[in-house]
PDB file of all heavy atoms in Angstrom:
ATOM      1  N   THR A 339      33.372  21.568 -96.143  1.00 86.00           N
ATOM      2  CA  THR A 339      33.161  20.159 -96.212  1.00 86.00           C
ATOM      3  C   THR A 339      32.338  19.816 -97.401  1.00 86.00           C
ATOM      4  O   THR A 339      32.634  18.759 -98.093  1.00 86.00           O
ATOM      5  CB  THR A 339      32.414  19.676 -94.909  1.00 86.00           C
ATOM      6  OG1 THR A 339      33.234  20.021 -93.825  1.00 86.00           O
ATOM      7  CG2 THR A 339      32.149  18.210 -94.924  1.00 86.00           C
ATOM      8  N   LEU A 340      31.292  20.531 -97.742  1.00 83.00           N
ATOM      9  CA  LEU A 340      30.488  20.231 -98.950  1.00 83.00           C
ATOM     10  C   LEU A 340      31.335  20.316-100.184  1.00 83.00           C
ATOM     11  O   LEU A 340      31.207  19.514-101.118  1.00 83.00           O
ATOM     12  CB  LEU A 340      29.347  21.239 -99.025  1.00 83.00           C
ATOM     13  CG  LEU A 340      28.164  21.057 -98.084  1.00 83.00           C
ATOM     14  CD1 LEU A 340      27.160  22.189 -98.149  1.00 83.00           C
ATOM     15  CD2 LEU A 340      27.449  19.711 -98.403  1.00 83.00           C
ATOM     16  N   ALA A 341      32.207  21.341-100.251  1.00 80.00           N
ATOM     17  CA  ALA A 341      33.060  21.535-101.431  1.00 80.00           C
ATOM     18  C   ALA A 341      33.975  20.346-101.559  1.00 80.00           C
ATOM     19  O   ALA A 341      34.216  19.735-102.687  1.00 80.00           O
ATOM     20  CB  ALA A 341      33.837  22.844-101.337  1.00 80.00           C
ATOM     21  N   LYS A 342      34.602  19.885-100.480  1.00 81.00           N
ATOM     22  CA  LYS A 342      35.601  18.775-100.513  1.00 81.00           C
ATOM     23  C   LYS A 342      34.827  17.531-100.939  1.00 81.00           C
ATOM     24  O   LYS A 342      35.398  16.721-101.724  1.00 81.00           O
ATOM     25  CB  LYS A 342      36.225  18.562 -99.173  1.00 81.00           C
ATOM     26  CG  LYS A 342      37.361  19.563 -98.918  1.00 81.00           C
ATOM     27  CD  LYS A 342      37.930  19.389 -97.559  1.00 81.00           C
ATOM     28  CE  LYS A 342      39.043  20.390 -97.270  1.00 81.00           C
ATOM     29  NZ  LYS A 342      39.672  20.203 -95.949  1.00 81.00           N
ATOM     30  N   ASN A 343      33.655  17.306-100.431  1.00 79.00           N
ATOM     31  CA  ASN A 343      32.866  16.078-100.776  1.00 79.00           C
ATOM     32  C   ASN A 343      32.515  16.081-102.237  1.00 79.00           C
ATOM     33  O   ASN A 343      32.257  15.028-102.820  1.00 79.00           O
ATOM     34  CB  ASN A 343      31.669  15.973 -99.912  1.00 79.00           C
ATOM     35  CG  ASN A 343      31.997  15.548 -98.463  1.00 79.00           C
ATOM     36  OD1 ASN A 343      33.130  15.083 -98.176  1.00 79.00           O
ATOM     37  ND2 ASN A 343      31.047  15.680 -97.574  1.00 79.00           N
ATOM     38  N   ALA A 344      32.357  17.277-102.859  1.00 74.00           N
ATOM     39  CA  ALA A 344      32.032  17.398-104.263  1.00 74.00           C
ATOM     40  C   ALA A 344      33.278  17.391-105.131  1.00 74.00           C
ATOM     41  O   ALA A 344      33.163  17.468-106.372  1.00 74.00           O
ATOM     42  CB  ALA A 344      31.255  18.673-104.468  1.00 74.00           C
ATOM     43  N   GLY A 345      34.436  17.214-104.556  1.00 67.00           N
ATOM     44  CA  GLY A 345      35.693  17.237-105.373  1.00 67.00           C
ATOM     45  C   GLY A 345      36.292  18.560-105.605  1.00 67.00           C
ATOM     46  O   GLY A 345      37.316  18.591-106.310  1.00 67.00           O
ATOM     47  N   ALA A 346      35.724  19.581-105.087  1.00 55.00           N
ATOM     48  CA  ALA A 346      36.281  20.991-105.288  1.00 55.00           C
ATOM     49  C   ALA A 346      37.411  21.173-104.308  1.00 55.00           C
ATOM     50  O   ALA A 346      37.455  20.564-103.162  1.00 55.00           O
ATOM     51  CB  ALA A 346      35.219  21.987-105.072  1.00 55.00           C
ATOM     52  N   THR A 347      38.368  22.046-104.621  1.00 53.00           N
ATOM     53  CA  THR A 347      39.480  22.326-103.697  1.00 53.00           C
ATOM     54  C   THR A 347      39.178  23.392-102.684  1.00 53.00           C
ATOM     55  O   THR A 347      39.723  23.433-101.649  1.00 53.00           O
ATOM     56  CB  THR A 347      40.753  22.732-104.465  1.00 53.00           C
ATOM     57  OG1 THR A 347      40.399  23.841-105.288  1.00 53.00           O
ATOM     58  CG2 THR A 347      41.264  21.562-105.313  1.00 53.00           C
ATOM     59  N   ASN A 348      38.165  24.234-103.081  1.00 53.00           N
ATOM     60  CA  ASN A 348      37.744  25.186-101.939  1.00 53.00           C
ATOM     61  C   ASN A 348      36.354  25.695-102.297  1.00 53.00           C
ATOM     62  O   ASN A 348      35.783  25.354-103.344  1.00 53.00           O
ATOM     63  CB  ASN A 348      38.718  26.377-101.875  1.00 53.00           C
ATOM     64  CG  ASN A 348      38.609  27.364-103.016  1.00 53.00           C
ATOM     65  OD1 ASN A 348      37.641  27.389-103.767  1.00 53.00           O
ATOM     66  ND2 ASN A 348      39.666  28.146-103.239  1.00 53.00           N
ATOM     67  N   ASP A 349      35.799  26.382-101.428  1.00 56.00           N
ATOM     68  CA  ASP A 349      34.417  26.920-101.538  1.00 56.00           C
ATOM     69  C   ASP A 349      34.499  28.445-101.443  1.00 56.00           C
ATOM     70  O   ASP A 349      35.191  28.925-100.493  1.00 56.00           O
ATOM     71  CB  ASP A 349      33.537  26.319-100.490  1.00 56.00           C
ATOM     72  CG  ASP A 349      32.040  26.717-100.609  1.00 56.00           C
ATOM     73  OD1 ASP A 349      31.357  26.071-101.369  1.00 56.00           O
ATOM     74  OD2 ASP A 349      31.798  27.772-100.058  1.00 56.00           O
ATOM     75  N   LYS A 350      33.862  29.137-102.303  1.00 61.00           N
ATOM     76  CA  LYS A 350      33.924  30.602-102.258  1.00 61.00           C
ATOM     77  C   LYS A 350      33.304  31.170-101.014  1.00 61.00           C
ATOM     78  O   LYS A 350      33.683  32.265-100.547  1.00 61.00           O
ATOM     79  CB  LYS A 350      33.210  31.212-103.479  1.00 61.00           C
ATOM     80  CG  LYS A 350      33.941  30.861-104.745  1.00 61.00           C
ATOM     81  CD  LYS A 350      33.211  31.334-105.924  1.00 61.00           C
ATOM     82  CE  LYS A 350      33.938  30.920-107.238  1.00 61.00           C
ATOM     83  NZ  LYS A 350      33.154  31.242-108.411  1.00 61.00           N
ATOM     84  N   LEU A 351      32.328  30.519-100.367  1.00 58.00           N
ATOM     85  CA  LEU A 351      31.696  31.078 -99.156  1.00 58.00           C
ATOM     86  C   LEU A 351      32.454  30.871 -97.935  1.00 58.00           C
ATOM     87  O   LEU A 351      32.333  31.717 -97.009  1.00 58.00           O
ATOM     88  CB  LEU A 351      30.311  30.401 -99.037  1.00 58.00           C
ATOM     89  CG  LEU A 351      29.268  30.646-100.115  1.00 58.00           C
ATOM     90  CD1 LEU A 351      28.071  29.820 -99.878  1.00 58.00           C
ATOM     91  CD2 LEU A 351      28.913  32.133-100.101  1.00 58.00           C
TER      92      LEU A 351
END
Side-chain angles (χ1 to χ4, degrees):
T339 301
L340 285 171
K342 283 181 182 178
N343 287 346
T347 55
N348 75 19
D349 183 88
K350 295 176 185 174
L351 294 173

